[in-house]
Amino acid sequence: MGSDSFSAESVSMLQWLPENIASYGPRMDAVFSNIYYIVGVWFLAAEAFLFFCIIFFRRRKGRKAAFIPGHSYAAMAWVLIPAILVLGFDLVMDHQQVPVRREIKEGAPAADQTVLIKGKQFVWDITHPGADGKLGTPDDKETMNQIYVPVDAVVGIDLQSEDVIHSLWIPNMRFKQDVVPGRSIHAWFKAIKTGDYKIGCAELCGVGHGNMGGWLHVLSAQDYQKWLKGELASAN
Ligand SMILES: [Cu+2]
């Protein structure tokens, strides 16, 4: 990874996205912007052609409607050439997203620590490892809807559901992963900036779906240690 062709900071469309705080974010945003521009150009071309046809082939006095079966190659070309072009652009987009997908979904680096996140109607039940860095020990720290992680650390996320399908969504982290009952799904991220960032549920999971919001708190290494010891004033 790290090829300059993936550098996307200068692309204006990215100003609309929430601020990126993920180590892999620039590569993912580059994929977003490539798709945005390719699809955008095709959208404008298709709409322009549609309006051209509406205006120039409108009903007029003395002009009869024609039935065009489209059996000639010249007629078929109107469909086949755009279809081949679209397929070509599709392959280009696939080619660009494969390494990014591989990095994020398949290439999970060794985690500095792992957080267990359980979705249930209608809260995120979050278990952080304590000072020993391990889950399932007495010093684990549990919270509701509040995730605490140190900055610049690879954080593994184990996702489980106690009832229905939820989806953990952290827009600033470019993170969205379905949470499926009966499965333990492993994901990861690495925050590159401290701060508080919104989390939500992105899968309609019942009447309280809209309440499944919370915060991701990215702390400096010192603040994270303070939080573990219960000394961080603002934290629960
Ligand atoms: Cu939910």
Side-chain angles (χ1 to χ4, degrees), residues 60-64:
R60 282 184 184 157
K61 257 190 189 157
R63 186 161 78 182
K64 275 193 170 177

Side-chain angles (χ1 to χ4, degrees), residues 96-118:
Q96 285 174 333
Q97 66 91 22
V98 162
V100 184
R101 183 186 162 79
R102 200 168 280 159
E103 177 188 8
I104 299 169
K105 294 290 184 188
E106 295 166 30
D112 295 312
Q113 66 188 75
T114 298
V115 179
L116 172 64
I117 301 183
K118 284 185 187 170

Side-chain angles (χ1 to χ4, degrees), residues 120 122 124 165-167 201-205 209 212:
K120 59 184 177 193
F122 296 98
W124 297 106
I165 299 175
H166 303 275
S167 183
C201 181
E203 183 72 53
L204 185 58
C205 56
H209 167 67
M212 280 188 79

Side-chain angles (χ1 to χ4, degrees), residues 6 31 35 92-102:
F6 274 109
V31 173
I35 293 173
V92 168
M93 289 192 282
D94 280 348
H95 179 73
Q96 285 174 333
Q97 66 91 22
V98 162
V100 184
R101 183 186 162 79
R102 200 168 280 159

Side-chain angles (χ1 to χ4, degrees), residues 86-236:
V86 167
L87 180 67
F89 280 111
D90 204 20
L91 292 174
V92 168
M93 289 192 282
D94 280 348
H95 179 73
Q96 285 174 333
Q97 66 91 22
V98 162
V100 184
R101 183 186 162 79
R102 200 168 280 159
E103 177 188 8
I104 299 169
K105 294 290 184 188
E106 295 166 30
D112 295 312
Q113 66 188 75
T114 298
V115 179
L116 172 64
I117 301 183
K118 284 185 187 170
K120 59 184 177 193
Q121 292 169 321
F122 296 98
V123 289
W124 297 106
D125 193 344
I126 297 153
T127 310
H128 306 77
D132 63 0
K134 286 182 194 143
L135 282 173
T137 51
D139 70 346
D140 286 357
K141 276 187 83 116
E142 265 194 67
T143 57
M144 289 285 189
N145 299 330
Q146 311 290 324
I147 310 172
Y148 291 87
V149 298
V151 71
D152 292 327
V154 175
V155 177
I157 306 284
D158 279 333
L159 286 161
Q160 296 170 8
S161 170
E162 297 197 352
D163 37 47
V164 298
I165 299 175
H166 303 275
S167 183
L168 180 64
W169 187 24
I170 316 173
N172 294 92
M173 194 64 86
R174 306 294 187 262
F175 183 99
K176 190 196 269 174
Q177 173 61 57
D178 276 9
V179 187
V180 182
R183 287 183 61 186
S184 187
I185 295 174
H186 186 73
W188 71 280
F189 59 67
K190 181 173 159 184
I192 55 172
K193 190 163 182 256
T194 57
D196 301 325
Y197 306 96
K198 268 192 178 167
I199 69 172
C201 181
E203 183 72 53
L204 185 58
C205 56
V207 289
H209 167 67
N211 297 332
M212 280 188 79
W215 293 91
L216 167 71
H217 306 277
V218 181
L219 306 175
S220 67
Q222 298 93 307
D223 279 353
Y224 185 75
Q225 290 306 319
K226 277 190 198 167
W227 174 74
L228 279 181
K229 293 179 197 145
E231 290 167 3
L232 199 67
S234 61
N236 63 347

